[in-house]
Amino acid sequence: SQQGEEDPQALSIQEGENATMNCSYKTSINNLQWYRQNSGRGLVHLILIRSNEREKHSGRLRVTLDTSKKSSSLLITASRAADTASYFCAPMTTDSWGKLQFGAGTQVVVTP
Amino acid sequence: GAVVSQHPSWVICKSGTSVKIECRSLDFQATTMFWYRQFPKQSLMLMATSNEGSKATYEQGVEKDKFLINHASLTLSTLTVTSAHPEDSSFYICSAERYNQPQHFGDGTRLSIL
């Protein structure tokens, strides 16, 4: 596995707005996963996108993957106060499915 | 959905005490369990990977004699912080994985050593 770098480090938006965060990585991947961590809790798996996919949706989440740029984005549409959390990406290489290495994450604050 | 239970959720103890944290996969058999540590306002750092019935694989810089991991069954892994000191105070999180599926995380254990 390798560590992804999330950008921006922090994001503050109003309820109803969209939130977009990006993830960059360095070497070829098998898939890329996004996780959410609410304050003081464990991580929750949000979505997995495989290297042969360009876009994936799950509810209000939309993830894109551009392997040529080695980057991914996570879009949360119509954000809610409950979306306040830190978001982490985890690029996975073919040689080690399980090991996750996390960057600093994007801390999202959604204000009612 | 898959549930991972971590216990205890909060521990405060004196310096020199050993503390055991349990991680259980409640509704599935986990091929692998992972232990992470997270300091305030920082990301999770992988400490070790454990497979049932075999020795844990520790990440570089993690002392295996300090952080004892026992993975006795496909649903239970324990992390024992031996002779804990204030610098071991942290948020410890476990996760469990079924073969080729995303990891499911426990809710973490906040360890405070006085």
Coordinates of all heavy atoms in Angstrom, one line a residue, chain A residues 1-10 20-27 29 32-34 69-74 87-92 101-107, chain B residues 43:
Chain A
S1 N 0.9 -1.2 0.0 CA 0.0 0.0 0.0 C 0.9 1.2 0.0 O 2.1 1.2 0.2 CB -0.9 0.0 1.2 OG -0.1 0.1 2.4
Q2 N 0.3 2.4 -0.2 CA 1.0 3.6 -0.2 C 0.1 4.7 0.4 O -1.1 4.5 0.5 CB 1.4 4.0 -1.6 CG 0.2 4.2 -2.6 CD 0.6 4.7 -3.9 OE1 1.2 5.7 -4.1 NE2 0.4 3.8 -4.9
Q3 N 0.8 5.7 0.9 CA 0.0 6.8 1.5 C -0.5 7.8 0.5 O 0.2 8.2 -0.4 CB 0.9 7.5 2.5 CG 0.2 8.5 3.4 CD 1.2 9.1 4.4 OE1 1.8 8.3 5.2 NE2 1.3 10.4 4.5
G4 N -1.8 8.1 0.6 CA -2.3 9.2 -0.2 C -2.2 10.5 0.5 O -2.0 10.5 1.7
E5 N -2.2 11.5 -0.3 CA -2.2 12.9 0.3 C -3.5 13.6 0.0 O -3.8 13.8 -1.2 CB -1.0 13.7 -0.2 CG 0.3 13.2 0.3 CD 1.5 14.1 -0.1 OE1 1.2 15.2 -0.5 OE2 2.6 13.6 -0.1
E6 N -4.2 14.0 1.0 CA -5.5 14.6 0.8 C -5.3 16.1 0.8 O -4.5 16.7 1.5 CB -6.5 14.2 2.0 CG -6.8 12.8 2.0 CD -5.8 12.0 2.9 OE1 -4.8 12.6 3.4 OE2 -6.1 10.8 3.1
D7 N -6.2 16.7 0.0 CA -6.1 18.2 -0.1 C -7.6 18.7 -0.4 O -8.3 18.1 -1.1 CB -5.2 18.6 -1.3 CG -5.3 20.0 -1.6 OD1 -4.6 20.8 -0.8 OD2 -5.9 20.4 -2.6
P8 N -8.0 19.8 0.3 CA -7.3 20.6 1.3 C -7.2 19.9 2.6 O -7.8 18.9 2.8 CB -8.1 21.8 1.3 CG -9.5 21.4 1.1 CD -9.4 20.3 0.1
Q9 N -6.5 20.5 3.5 CA -6.4 19.9 4.9 C -7.7 20.2 5.6 O -8.1 19.4 6.5 CB -5.2 20.6 5.6 CG -3.8 20.1 5.1 CD -2.7 20.6 6.0 OE1 -2.9 21.5 6.9 NE2 -1.5 20.2 5.8
A10 N -8.3 21.3 5.3 CA -9.5 21.6 6.0 C -10.5 22.3 5.1 O -10.1 23.0 4.1 CB -9.2 22.5 7.2
T20 N -15.8 19.2 -1.9 CA -14.9 18.4 -2.8 C -13.5 18.3 -2.2 O -13.0 19.4 -1.7 CB -14.8 19.1 -4.2 OG1 -16.1 19.1 -4.8 CG2 -13.9 18.2 -5.1
M21 N -13.0 17.2 -2.1 CA -11.6 17.0 -1.6 C -10.9 16.0 -2.6 O -11.5 15.2 -3.3 CB -11.6 16.4 -0.2 CG -12.3 15.1 0.0 SD -13.0 14.9 1.6 CE -14.6 15.7 1.4
N22 N -9.6 16.2 -2.6 CA -8.8 15.5 -3.6 C -7.7 14.6 -2.9 O -7.4 14.8 -1.7 CB -8.1 16.5 -4.5 CG -9.0 17.4 -5.2 OD1 -9.8 16.9 -6.0 ND2 -9.0 18.6 -4.9
C23 N -7.3 13.6 -3.6 CA -6.3 12.7 -3.1 C -5.3 12.4 -4.2 O -5.6 12.1 -5.3 CB -7.0 11.4 -2.7 SG -5.8 10.0 -2.3
S24 N -4.0 12.6 -3.9 CA -3.0 12.3 -4.8 C -2.1 11.1 -4.3 O -1.9 11.0 -3.1 CB -2.1 13.5 -5.1 OG -1.5 14.0 -3.9
Y25 N -1.6 10.3 -5.2 CA -0.7 9.2 -4.8 C 0.4 9.1 -5.8 O 0.5 9.9 -6.8 CB -1.5 7.9 -4.7 CG -2.3 7.6 -6.0 CD1 -1.7 6.8 -7.0 CD2 -3.5 8.1 -6.3 CE1 -2.3 6.4 -8.1 CE2 -4.2 7.8 -7.4 CZ -3.6 6.9 -8.4 OH -4.3 6.6 -9.5
K26 N 1.3 8.2 -5.6 CA 2.6 8.2 -6.3 C 2.8 7.1 -7.3 O 3.4 7.2 -8.4 CB 3.8 8.3 -5.4 CG 3.8 9.6 -4.6 CD 5.0 9.7 -3.7 CE 5.0 11.1 -3.0 NZ 6.1 11.2 -2.0
T27 N 2.3 5.9 -6.9 CA 2.6 4.8 -7.8 C 1.3 4.1 -8.2 O 0.2 4.3 -7.7 CB 3.5 3.7 -7.2 OG1 2.9 3.2 -6.0 CG2 4.8 4.4 -6.7
I29 N -1.9 1.8 -8.9 CA -2.8 1.3 -7.8 C -3.7 0.2 -8.4 O -3.9 0.1 -9.6 CB -3.6 2.3 -7.1 CG1 -4.5 3.1 -8.1 CG2 -2.7 3.3 -6.4 CD1 -5.5 4.0 -7.5
L32 N -8.6 2.3 -5.0 CA -8.5 3.4 -4.0 C -9.8 3.5 -3.2 O -10.9 3.4 -3.7 CB -8.2 4.8 -4.8 CG -7.9 6.0 -3.9 CD1 -6.9 6.9 -4.6 CD2 -9.1 6.8 -3.5
Q33 N -9.6 3.6 -1.9 CA -10.7 3.7 -1.0 C -10.8 5.0 -0.3 O -9.8 5.6 0.0 CB -10.5 2.5 0.0 CG -10.4 1.1 -0.6 CD -10.2 0.1 0.4 OE1 -10.8 0.0 1.4 NE2 -9.3 -0.8 0.1
W34 N -12.0 5.4 0.0 CA -12.2 6.6 0.8 C -12.9 6.1 2.2 O -13.8 5.3 2.2 CB -13.1 7.6 0.1 CG -12.4 8.3 -1.0 CD1 -12.3 8.0 -2.3 CD2 -11.7 9.6 -0.8 NE1 -11.6 9.0 -3.0 CE2 -11.2 9.9 -2.1 CE3 -11.4 10.4 0.3 CZ2 -10.5 11.1 -2.3 CZ3 -10.7 11.6 0.1 CH2 -10.2 11.9 -1.2
K69 N -3.2 11.0 -13.9 CA -2.8 12.0 -13.0 C -2.5 11.5 -11.6 O -2.1 12.3 -10.7 CB -3.8 13.2 -12.9 CG -4.0 13.9 -14.3 CD -5.0 15.0 -14.1 CE -5.2 15.8 -15.5 NZ -6.2 16.8 -15.4
K70 N -2.8 10.3 -11.4 CA -2.6 9.7 -10.0 C -3.4 10.5 -9.0 O -2.8 10.9 -8.0 CB -1.1 9.5 -9.7 CG -0.4 8.5 -10.6 CD 1.0 8.3 -10.1 CE 1.7 7.2 -10.8 NZ 1.7 7.3 -12.3
S71 N -4.6 10.7 -9.3 CA -5.4 11.5 -8.3 C -6.9 11.0 -8.3 O -7.3 10.4 -9.3 CB -5.4 12.9 -8.7 OG -6.1 13.2 -9.9
S72 N -7.5 11.3 -7.2 CA -8.9 10.9 -7.0 C -9.6 12.1 -6.3 O -8.9 12.9 -5.6 CB -9.0 9.7 -6.2 OG -10.4 9.4 -5.9
S73 N -10.9 12.2 -6.5 CA -11.6 13.2 -5.8 C -12.9 12.6 -5.2 O -13.4 11.6 -5.7 CB -12.0 14.4 -6.8 OG -13.0 13.9 -7.7
L74 N -13.3 13.2 -4.1 CA -14.5 12.8 -3.4 C -15.4 14.0 -3.3 O -15.0 15.0 -2.8 CB -14.2 12.3 -2.0 CG -15.4 12.0 -1.1 CD1 -16.3 10.9 -1.6 CD2 -14.9 11.7 0.3
Y87 N -11.9 13.0 6.4 CA -12.0 12.1 5.3 C -10.6 11.7 4.8 O -9.7 12.5 4.6 CB -12.8 12.7 4.1 CG -14.2 12.9 4.5 CD1 -14.6 14.0 5.2 CD2 -15.2 12.0 4.1 CE1 -15.9 14.2 5.6 CE2 -16.5 12.2 4.5 CZ -16.9 13.3 5.2 OH -18.2 13.4 5.6
F88 N -10.4 10.4 4.6 CA -9.1 9.9 4.2 C -9.2 9.0 3.0 O -10.2 8.3 2.8 CB -8.5 9.0 5.4 CG -8.3 9.7 6.7 CD1 -9.3 9.7 7.6 CD2 -7.1 10.3 7.0 CE1 -9.1 10.3 8.9 CE2 -6.9 10.9 8.2 CZ -8.0 10.9 9.1
C89 N -8.2 9.1 2.2 CA -8.1 8.2 1.0 C -7.0 7.1 1.3 O -6.1 7.4 2.1 CB -7.8 8.9 -0.3 SG -6.1 9.6 -0.4
A90 N -7.2 6.0 0.7 CA -6.2 4.9 0.9 C -6.0 4.2 -0.5 O -6.8 3.4 -0.9 CB -6.7 3.9 1.9
P91 N -4.9 4.6 -1.2 CA -4.6 4.0 -2.4 C -4.0 2.6 -2.2 O -3.1 2.4 -1.3 CB -3.5 4.9 -3.0 CG -3.4 6.1 -2.1 CD -3.9 5.7 -0.8
M92 N -4.5 1.6 -2.9 CA -4.1 0.2 -2.6 C -3.3 -0.3 -3.9 O -3.8 -0.3 -5.0 CB -5.3 -0.7 -2.4 CG -6.1 -0.2 -1.2 SD -5.2 -0.2 0.4 CE -4.8 -1.9 0.6
Q101 N -2.4 2.8 4.6 CA -1.6 3.9 5.1 C -2.4 5.2 4.8 O -2.8 5.5 3.7 CB -0.2 3.9 4.4 CG 0.6 2.7 4.7 CD 2.0 2.8 4.2 OE1 2.7 3.7 4.5 NE2 2.4 1.9 3.4
F102 N -2.6 6.0 5.8 CA -3.4 7.2 5.7 C -2.6 8.4 5.8 O -1.6 8.5 6.5 CB -4.4 7.2 6.9 CG -5.4 6.1 6.8 CD1 -5.2 5.0 7.6 CD2 -6.5 6.1 6.0 CE1 -6.1 3.9 7.6 CE2 -7.4 5.1 5.9 CZ -7.2 4.0 6.7
G103 N -3.0 9.4 5.0 CA -2.4 10.7 5.1 C -3.1 11.5 6.2 O -3.8 10.9 7.1
A104 N -2.9 12.8 6.2 CA -3.4 13.7 7.2 C -4.9 13.8 7.1 O -5.6 14.2 8.1 CB -2.7 15.0 7.2
G105 N -5.5 13.6 5.9 CA -6.9 13.7 5.8 C -7.4 15.1 5.5 O -6.6 16.1 5.6
T106 N -8.7 15.2 5.1 CA -9.3 16.5 5.0 C -10.4 16.6 6.1 O -11.3 15.7 6.1 CB -10.0 16.6 3.6 OG1 -9.0 16.6 2.6 CG2 -10.8 17.9 3.5
Q107 N -10.2 17.6 6.9 CA -11.2 17.8 7.9 C -12.3 18.7 7.4 O -12.1 19.9 7.1 CB -10.5 18.5 9.1 CG -11.5 18.6 10.3 CD -10.7 19.0 11.6 OE1 -9.6 19.3 11.6 NE2 -11.5 19.1 12.7
Chain B
S43 N -3.0 11.6 11.7 CA -3.7 10.5 11.0 C -3.4 9.1 11.8 O -2.6 9.1 12.7 CB -3.1 10.4 9.6 OG -3.8 9.4 8.9

